[in-house]
Amino acid sequence: MTFLGLIFLQIITPILILIVIGGALQRKFAFNLRAISNLITYCLMPAAVFINVYKTEIEMQVLMQIIGYLIVFSLGLIVMAALVCKLLKLEKGDAATFKNGFSLMNSGNYGIPVSQLIFHANPLGISIQIIVMIFQNVLTYTYGLYNLIAATKSGLEILRELLRLPIIHALILGSLLNGFNVPIPSFIWLPIEHLSDAFLAIALLLLGAQLAQIELKAMINKMVIITSFGRLVIGPAVSLLFIYLFGLDGVVAQSLFIASSFPTSRNSSTLALEYDVKPDLAAQTVLFTTILSSLTVTVVVYVSTILFL
C-alpha cells in the first residue's frame, strides 16, 4: 500500500467510520443534538483543550508567529472571497454564504480529532490546532456574523459571548498552570483526562448526526462546487504561501498547513439557519466539503509530511 493510501486508512478512515456511525444512529434514534453539542462545548472540549495546553510548552516567539500567520491567512481568504463575489456578481445571500464557506473552517469537532490522530505523540501539534480553533471561533462570531446580518452585535457584546466560551477559560487556566509549573493531583487529573479521551469519538459522532439531518437534494450546484474548491484547494494553497513567507517549519508549519485544509465550519450552517440567510445552501456546503475533505485532507497530510518532516 502506498504512503498516501496508508494515511487515508489510518487517519481519515477512522474519522469517516465514526461520522457514518453518528449519522446512522441519528437516523434511527433522532438524538437531541443540542444537548450533545452542549456536552461537548461545556465539558469534553474544554477538558481536551486544558489537557493539551497544560502538557505543551510553546515559546512566546512561536506563539506570536502563529497568531500573526492566522491573522494574515484569514485576511487573505477574506479578500479573495470578496473579489470572487464581485467577479461572479453574487447576490447578497449567496455572497454571504460563499464568504463564510470559504473562510470559516471546522476546526473543532473535525479539526481537533484529526490533529489528535496525527499528533498523538506530539502535544504541540494539537495545541496549535486548539489555537486555530479559538481563532476560528472569534472569526465566526465577528466576520461570520457580519456577513449574515445587516447590523452586527456591538464589540462589547461579541466580547461577552467569547468570554462565555468554556474553551477560553480552559485555555487560560491550562496556560497559567503550565506557565507556573503547578502540579495537578491525580484525583483531579484523571477525571479531566477521561473527559478529554471521550471528546474525539463523541465529537465525530455528533458531526455525523448533524450531517445526517442535511438534505441531499440539489446539493451539487454551482455555488456549492465553487465554495468547496475554494475551501479545500485554494485555502491550503494560500496557507502554504504564507507559511513560507513567515518562515515557519517543522511541526508548527505542518499543523497550520493541515489546519487550513479542513471543511467548512458547521457553525456557518447554524448561523445561516438562525438568521435565515440561504440556510439550505450553507448546509449543503458543509456536507459536500466534509465528504470531499476525506480525499483532500489525506493529500494535504501527505504533502505536509514531505515538506515539513
Side-chain angles (χ1 to χ4, degrees):
M1 181 179 292
T2 65
F3 186 45
L4 191 64
L6 204 59
I7 290 173
F8 183 85
L9 183 64
Q10 293 185 347
I11 295 174
I12 303 301
T13 300
I15 290 172
L16 292 177
I17 290 173
L18 287 171
I19 289 175
V20 170
I21 291 173
L25 290 174
Q26 178 62 20
R27 291 283 187 181
K28 183 171 179 60
F29 298 109
F31 295 123
N32 181 342
L33 298 188
R34 182 173 293 276
I36 300 175
S37 179
N38 287 338
L39 172 65
I40 291 174
T41 301
Y42 290 93
C43 186
L44 303 184
M45 188 182 293
V49 168
F50 177 84
I51 288 282
N52 285 285
V53 169
Y54 181 79
K55 291 166 62 176
T56 303
E57 293 184 8
I58 302 181
E59 295 180 5
M60 185 56 64
Q61 182 180 358
V62 175
L63 180 60
M64 291 299 101
Q65 280 185 315
I66 292 170
I67 293 173
Y69 157 86
L70 289 173
I71 292 172
V72 174
F73 171 63
S74 297
L75 286 175
L77 294 184
I78 289 169
V79 171
M80 289 182 67
L83 291 175
V84 170
C85 289
K86 287 188 176 182
L87 183 65
L88 297 179
K89 298 179 180 179
L90 300 179
E91 57 95 7
K92 288 184 178 180
D94 286 339
T97 304
F98 172 78
K99 289 176 181 177
N100 283 354
F102 184 50
S103 305
L104 305 179
M105 297 170 283
N106 193 344
S107 299
N109 63 347
Y110 187 105
I112 290 183
V114 171
S115 294
Q116 285 179 327
L117 289 172
I118 296 172
F119 302 106
H120 59 90
N122 192 337
L124 175 61
I126 304 172
S127 294
I128 291 171
Q129 180 55 41
I130 289 169
I131 295 170
V132 174
M133 177 189 68
I134 292 171
F135 185 88
Q136 279 288 312
N137 273 324
V138 174
L139 194 66
T140 297
Y141 292 103
T142 51
Y143 171 74
L145 269 179
Y146 177 78
N147 283 331
L148 293 173
I149 54 179
T152 189
K153 295 179 180 180
S154 70
L156 184 59
E157 287 173 328
I158 292 171
L159 180 61
R160 285 173 180 167
E161 289 296 320
L162 290 172
L163 291 177
R164 290 193 186 106
L165 292 174
I167 56 171
I168 301 294
H169 306 156
L171 174 69
I172 295 172
L173 181 60
S175 299
L176 288 174
L177 295 181
N178 183 330
F180 289 102
N181 295 314
V182 178
I184 300 177
S186 60
F187 69 90
I188 295 177
W189 178 262
L190 284 176
I192 299 174
E193 193 170 40
H194 291 326
L195 291 172
S196 175
D197 292 340
F199 167 74
L200 188 153
I202 295 178
L204 291 173
L205 290 173
L206 175 62
L207 179 59
Q210 290 172 320
L211 295 177
Q213 294 187 319
I214 298 174
E215 294 292 335
L216 287 171
K217 61 182 180 180
M219 186 178 71
I220 313 281
N221 63 50
K222 183 180 75 171
M223 283 310 305
V224 171
I225 293 173
I226 292 173
T227 308
S228 299
F229 181 78
R231 172 82 300 280
L232 300 175
V233 179
I234 303 300
V238 173
S239 169
L240 196 58
L241 172 64
F242 286 126
I243 284 172
Y244 282 121
L245 287 177
F246 273 75
L248 303 173
D249 57 12
V251 174
V252 174
Q254 185 186 18
S255 183
L256 291 173
F257 183 43
I258 293 171
S260 72
S261 68
F262 297 143
T264 298
S265 169
R266 63 183 175 86
N267 287 333
S268 65
S269 175
T270 303
L271 290 174
L273 181 62
E274 183 175 346
Y275 293 100
D276 195 25
V277 180
K278 299 283 184 175
D280 290 341
L281 180 60
Q284 290 156 11
T285 300
V286 171
L287 177 57
F288 197 55
T289 56
T290 301
I291 293 172
L292 285 182
S293 69
S294 63
L295 299 176
T296 57
V297 171
T298 300
V299 173
V300 169
V301 172
Y302 174 70
V303 173
S304 75
T305 61
I306 296 174
L307 296 177
F308 304 118
L309 288 184

